[in-house]
Structures are given as C-alpha cells and as structure tokens.
Amino acid sequence: MTPRPSLGLRARLLFAFALLCVVTAAAVAGAIYVEARKAILERAQDAAVQAMRSRLQALYPLPNPAPDAGELGEIARTVANGNNDAVAVYHERRSPAGPRRPCLPFGGPCRQGLDPGMIPKGLRREVADGNVAWQRVVWQDGPHLIIGTPLLIVEGDRPTRASGIEVYMMHSLAPEQHSIDRLAARAWGTGGAALAFAVVLALLAARGVLGPVRELGRAARLLGQGELRTRIAVRGSDELADVAHTFNATAAELERHVKQLREMEADARRFVADVSHELRTPLSALAAVADVLEEEAAELPEPAGRAARLVSQETLNLTALVNDLIEISRFDSGVAALALNEVDLAELVRATLRTRGWSEQVHTELPAAVTARLDPRRVDVILANLVGNALRHGEPPVSVRLSADPHWIALEVRDHGPGLDGAVLPHVFDRFYKASAARTRSEGSGLGLAIARENARLHRGDLSVTNAPDGGAIFALRLPRRAHDPDGGPE
C-alpha cells in the first residue's frame, strides 16, 4: 500500500508556530478581555447604583406613604433624571409610561419607557424582600442595567419600615458595550499581528533548519549516485553541525572502503584475465594432444583408453572455461564491442540450430522477413546457450519463438520441464551459479547465462527468465532492431 504523503518540515514548523501563537494570543487576550469587561461593567454598574441612590435622597421624606399614579410618575422622573428610563410601582399602581424610545440600531419606535413586565421576576422578588438589586438584560436596542430598590418610611433620621413603593431604573450600557467591542477588536488585531509575526519567525526558523537539511539531502543523493567525494560545509557548532561532521566522516570512510574494494576487484579481474591468457598457449598444446589421444583411445587397453578419453574431455572443458573467463574479462574491462550487420533473424536462428545439430529437437515459430541490425556472433552465443540449457536441463518439447514490433525483436526459448525453483530464479544469471550442488562437476562452467545477459546488454537489450504457468522455464531475449555500439553511434 502506498503511504500517504505527509506535511513537509516547513509546513509543520509554520503550523506549530502559528498554533502556538494563536493559543497564546487567545489565552492572553481572552483573559485580558474578560477582566477588562468585568471591570468596565462593574464600574458602570457601581456608578449607576450610586447615582440612583443619590437621586433617591431627594425623595425623603415621602410626602405620601400611599402615592397615586401622578405621585409615582414624579418619583420615576426624579430617579430617571431625564437620561434613563424609570418606573415606580405601588401595589397595583404604577407610574405613567414614559415617551416611546427609538429601537437602535434599526431606528423607529420600539418600546415605550420601562414597563414592569420587562423586569425579571427574580429581580422583583429581591426588591420585594427589601433589598437593592440589579441585573443586566439585553433588549433590541442593546444591553441595559436594571436597578431596583424599595422606598422606606423615614421617621426621624432613620428609615424604619417599608413603604411598599418599588422603584426601578434602566440604565443603558451602550457606551460600555462600545468600549468592550473596541477592546475585542484590538485583541483580534493584536492576535492577527502576533500570528503574522509568528509566521515570519517560523519562516526564518525553517530557513535556518531546512537549509542544512536540504544540503544534507542533496549530498546524500550525490553519494548514492556514486559521487563519493561529496562533502557538506560545516557551519556553527550546533546539532546540525554535528550531523554535517558525521556525514563527512562517514562519506570519507565510505570512499576509502569503496576505493579499496575497487582496487581489489580490479586486481582480481586482472588476475583472472592474465591467468586465462597465459593458459591459452599450454591449452592449445593440450588440445592437440587430447585430439591424438581421442583418436588412439579405441586402440589402447581399457584402463588407458578410458584415461585418454577422460583427459580429452577435461581438456575441452578447461578450454571452454578459459574462453568464457576471457570473454567475461572483456566485458569487465569495457573492451567488448559489437560487429553490427543487417541480419535475418529467422535464418540466424536456423543456422544456430543447424550448426549444433538441434534442428530436429527444437520446434520453431519464425515469421519471415524480420530483420535487425545486430551482432550475429553474439546473438548466436546467446541462442546456443539458452537452447543448450533447455535441452540438457529441461524436458521436450523445446521451442524457439520469434516476434517483433517496429522497434524491438523478442526471442523466447521454452522447455516443458519442471521449471526453475523460486529460490533459483533471482540467481540464474549470476556468475558460477549452479542450481544444484550435484552439478558442480557438470560440463557447464556456470558462466554461460552470465555471458548471454552481458551480450544482450551490450546490444542495449535484456535477457530475463520466468516459469510458464503450465510448467517449464521461459527465457526471453529482447533486443532493439537498430542496435548501437556502446561507444557511440551506429557502426
């Protein structure tokens, strides 16, 4: 399953800084807003209560303990003082309704003064119990403070008993609400400025962190591509500098080890090539002697004849091994070259089978007029190896099938044996690999398939192997129809 892409380090830093800023700004601004709102409202509330009490002093002593509607209206007007709405209530009587006030912010008539029905029931119970009480309410024209107080009968200099008269005043909190709104707007503005500052700070921090990280990533990619001299500039003495020091030390050690391995590999290849070439001359002499022994083996006594045939066969095997080693050394040293010619593929396949006497044993599917520009000798080596392996290690029928498109040709060699074990498939083209330990003394050198794949790659093609669903191994050779020499353009 493909992993879902995650946010980059820059985005995560920006998000973390922004979140920290928003949370901090919201907490600080929220606390300040709550405290300021509370202080503003309490100050306005205390001032309104104190002003109402001051106006009530002008009503004492009460001229009539049982006032009528007109007298209640005078009490309400005294408490309101022209700036607020007030109502005086005595049992079932109340002061006349005040003038109709506009309903802000919509304008037009909204309500007619303060009505007892507008007063919360809890507030009325508090006042009826003889307490001064107040409560903030919201009407259509904004927030208000309703203050209620009972009037007492004053005898001498002290109030002695309740008169039954209740006075309520409604004070508008619109100025205070405006101040609170301005405070909230400033808090939002401060939070926005802090957020912008946090984003800028996050960008600067991300730049300082991501710059070395990007350089480290670039250096790691170059190192993975084989640029072993890649190093990182070390700046400062922080953790990123420690990482740069570690990377440079690791790269230097890796370069040293790779250099040693390459030198050892070059020495080993040179040794194999030198030994192989040195063996060619004595092997040529041995091959001539082996031919003579092979001819005389039938006339020799049985132990001597058997020994002569064994020497002849082992000489042939050793000669094939040395030739394969020389061919591999050419590929390793980069001197292998193509001798390109325009070739009819069907004729090439038939010639390969005919030369080795396999024409009757192999079924072919070869469409006519399929031509390609390639090296016929190297393709012959590939086909001979694939068909020979199929005949020796697979089961009949063995088939060769040719197909082509405008740019590529494909040759499939298939047998109908048990196929290759799953553990063997990844190593089929390894050098000196043999699928069975019992075959270590077989006539093969273990280099044939490796040489076949190198020849395919020299053509800029490939050689692969799979198991057929109904049994047997399928070797697929894929080559371009216009092969190019590895050193440059077409030959």
Side-chain angles (χ1 to χ4, degrees):
M1 183 175 60
T2 303
R4 289 181 294 179
S6 59
L7 291 176
L9 185 56
R10 179 190 294 273
R12 282 182 281 173
L13 281 174
L14 286 174
F15 178 76
F17 272 81
L19 181 62
L20 177 63
C21 171
V22 168
V23 171
T24 304
V28 174
I32 294 175
Y33 172 79
V34 170
E35 291 298 323
R37 181 177 183 274
K38 180 180 178 182
I40 291 172
L41 293 178
E42 286 181 352
R43 186 170 65 248
Q45 174 180 291
D46 293 343
V49 171
Q50 184 60 39
M52 183 176 179
R53 285 175 174 171
S54 298
R55 296 188 194 109
L56 287 175
Q57 296 297 324
L59 299 176
Y60 293 108
L62 294 175
N64 183 3
D68 57 16
E71 291 171 325
L72 289 174
E74 184 62 30
I75 292 173
R77 283 190 292 274
T78 300
V79 172
N81 196 27
N83 296 323
N84 303 298
D85 291 334
V87 63
V89 180
Y90 179 70
H91 299 299
E92 299 299 327
R93 284 178 249 169
R94 56 154 291 176
S95 58
R100 187 176 293 275
R101 294 181 178 273
C103 184
L104 300 176
F106 306 104
C110 181
R111 56 180 174 79
Q112 190 165 358
L114 179 62
D115 188 89
M118 300 164 56
I119 302 171
K121 294 181 179 179
L123 179 61
R124 293 206 66 177
R125 282 195 299 269
E126 286 285 327
V127 175
D129 291 339
N131 301 315
V132 178
W134 53 84
Q135 184 174 340
R136 289 192 292 270
V137 296
V138 178
W139 300 108
Q140 288 182 331
D141 52 345
H144 296 80
L145 177 68
I146 298 180
I147 307 171
T149 182
L151 292 184
L152 304 178
I153 299 298
V154 179
E155 295 179 352
D157 293 333
R158 300 180 60 187
T160 57
R161 55 191 174 83
S163 65
I165 303 172
E166 300 172 4
V167 181
Y168 298 92
M169 182 187 74
M170 185 164 66
H171 172 73
S172 175
L173 295 176
E176 287 76 14
Q177 183 63 44
H178 181 63
S179 298
I180 292 172
D181 291 341
R182 284 195 304 169
L183 181 64
R186 289 177 181 175
W188 280 108
T190 303
L195 178 60
F197 176 74
V199 170
V200 173
L201 187 63
L203 288 173
L204 293 176
R207 182 179 179 183
V209 173
L210 293 180
V213 171
R214 287 198 189 95
E215 186 176 358
L216 179 62
R218 179 192 61 81
R221 285 191 296 272
L222 290 175
L223 199 64
Q225 294 169 2
E227 298 291 336
L228 300 180
R229 295 190 179 184
T230 302
R231 300 294 184 270
I232 299 176
V234 180
R235 302 180 183 88
S237 58
D238 55 7
E239 290 80 358
L240 291 173
D242 291 340
V243 172
H245 278 297
T246 303
F247 178 88
N248 290 341
T250 304
E253 191 67 14
L254 179 63
E255 182 182 11
R256 186 177 67 83
H257 282 293
V258 170
K259 183 179 179 181
Q260 290 179 348
L261 290 174
R262 286 175 176 171
E263 290 175 351
M264 293 171 61
E265 183 182 13
D267 290 342
R269 288 176 176 175
R270 187 163 50 250
F271 173 77
V272 171
D274 292 344
V275 169
S276 300
H277 282 86
E278 290 297 325
L279 286 175
R280 295 191 76 174
T281 300
L283 277 177
S284 298
L286 285 175
V289 173
D291 290 340
V292 173
L293 289 175
E294 182 71 23
E295 293 175 358
E296 300 294 333
E299 300 178 3
L300 294 174
E302 183 52 35
R306 186 166 56 250
R309 286 190 293 271
L310 179 60
V311 169
S312 176
Q313 183 60 46
E314 291 300 326
T315 301
L316 292 176
N317 292 341
L318 183 58
T319 302
L321 174 60
V322 170
N323 290 333
D324 287 345
L325 289 173
I326 293 174
E327 187 70 9
I328 283 289
S329 68
R330 290 196 185 102
F331 287 117
D332 290 341
S333 60
V335 298
L338 295 175
L340 298 176
N341 285 296
E342 196 74 22
V343 178
D344 185 310
L345 269 300
E347 284 301 320
L348 177 60
V349 173
R350 293 190 187 99
T352 299
L353 300 179
R354 184 172 56 251
T355 301
R356 291 161 180 84
W358 295 337
S359 299
E360 301 299 325
Q361 304 175 55
V362 179
H363 173 72
T364 58
E365 297 179 25
L366 306 174
V370 176
T371 60
R373 183 174 176 79
L374 43 77
D375 187 330
R377 183 187 69 83
R378 294 187 182 276
V379 176
D380 174 78
V381 170
I382 299 173
L383 283 173
N385 186 276
L386 298 182
V387 176
N389 282 341
L391 292 172
R392 283 193 300 271
H393 307 300
E395 294 179 6
V398 175
S399 62
V400 177
R401 187 168 67 89
L402 171 66
S403 60
D405 62 31
H407 303 289
W408 296 87
I409 61 102
L411 280 164
E412 286 188 359
V413 178
R414 177 184 177 181
D415 66 74
H416 286 75
L420 296 172
D421 187 84
V424 173
L425 282 174
H427 306 287
V428 165
F429 299 103
D430 293 350
R431 297 179 183 183
F432 298 106
Y433 182 80
K434 295 183 180 181
S436 172
R439 291 175 49 212
T440 55
R441 288 295 301 145
S442 67
E443 62 186 32
S445 64
L447 293 173
L449 287 175
I451 293 174
R453 174 172 269 190
E454 292 292 345
N455 278 318
R457 289 177 173 173
L458 194 63
H459 284 82
R460 308 290 175 87
D462 197 15
L463 179 62
S464 60
V465 60
T466 57
N467 284 325
D470 54 345
I474 301 177
F475 284 84
L477 173 64
R478 189 168 182 265
L479 300 175
R481 297 192 72 159
R482 308 299 295 177
H484 288 66
D485 186 80
D487 296 330
E491 286 191 355

